Amino acid sequence: MLTVWTSLKSNLQNCSELEQLVSRHSNVEHVTGRGSGFIRGNGPVLMAWPNMADIGKLVQYGGHRIRALCVITWNDDEIRPCVTAVRPSILGDGST
């Protein structure tokens, strides 16, 4: 099960690719930041446009279920300290 996280349900409308991913695949679940984004299944999580507090809440409440975490950022400066500390694998060229 892949979980796609957005802060609001309506955020999917901002990205047609994410919206299609969620709507066309039965093994993709969409959760929102409301209620801490409760994750039902075990597996990877794709967080779209979170802030650091969102990432912290998701890990706090669902960390044991998360097998991999991928973040689509909207503000590189905000998450840069976390990236520096955790040293995750960067997907893509990492220049933007």
Side-chain angles (χ1 to χ4, degrees), residues 62-77:
H64 65 285
R65 294 183 166 279
I66 299 171
R67 299 291 175 242
L69 177 62
C70 183
V71 176
I72 301 171
T73 183
W74 60 274
N75 183 351
D76 290 343
D77 291 335

Side-chain angles (χ1 to χ4, degrees), residues 16-33:
S16 62
E17 291 86 357
L18 275 183
E19 188 172 34
Q20 290 174 19
L21 178 67
V22 169
S23 66
R24 293 183 181 176
H25 300 279
S26 61
N27 62 342
V28 177
E29 171 186 43
H30 179 229
V31 298
T32 64

Side-chain angles (χ1 to χ4, degrees), residues 4-85:
V4 174
W5 180 100
T6 59
S7 61
L8 301 171
K9 187 173 184 174
S10 62
N11 289 145
L12 280 182
Q13 297 169 0
N14 296 331
C15 181
S16 62
E17 291 86 357
L18 275 183
E19 188 172 34
Q20 290 174 19
L21 178 67
V22 169
S23 66
R24 293 183 181 176
H25 300 279
S26 61
N27 62 342
V28 177
E29 171 186 43
H30 179 229
V31 298
T32 64
R34 294 181 186 233
S36 302
F38 179 73
I39 299 172
R40 291 187 296 219
N42 293 331
V45 176
L46 173 61
M47 290 188 83
W49 317 291
N51 60 39
M52 288 307 301
D54 296 329
I55 296 170
K57 285 180 187 175
L58 183 77
V59 171
Q60 178 184 1
Y61 295 111
H64 65 285
R65 294 183 166 279
I66 299 171
R67 299 291 175 242
L69 177 62
C70 183
V71 176
I72 301 171
T73 183
W74 60 274
N75 183 351
D76 290 343
D77 291 335
E78 182 178 350
I79 70 165
R80 188 167 284 118
C82 178
V83 171
T84 301

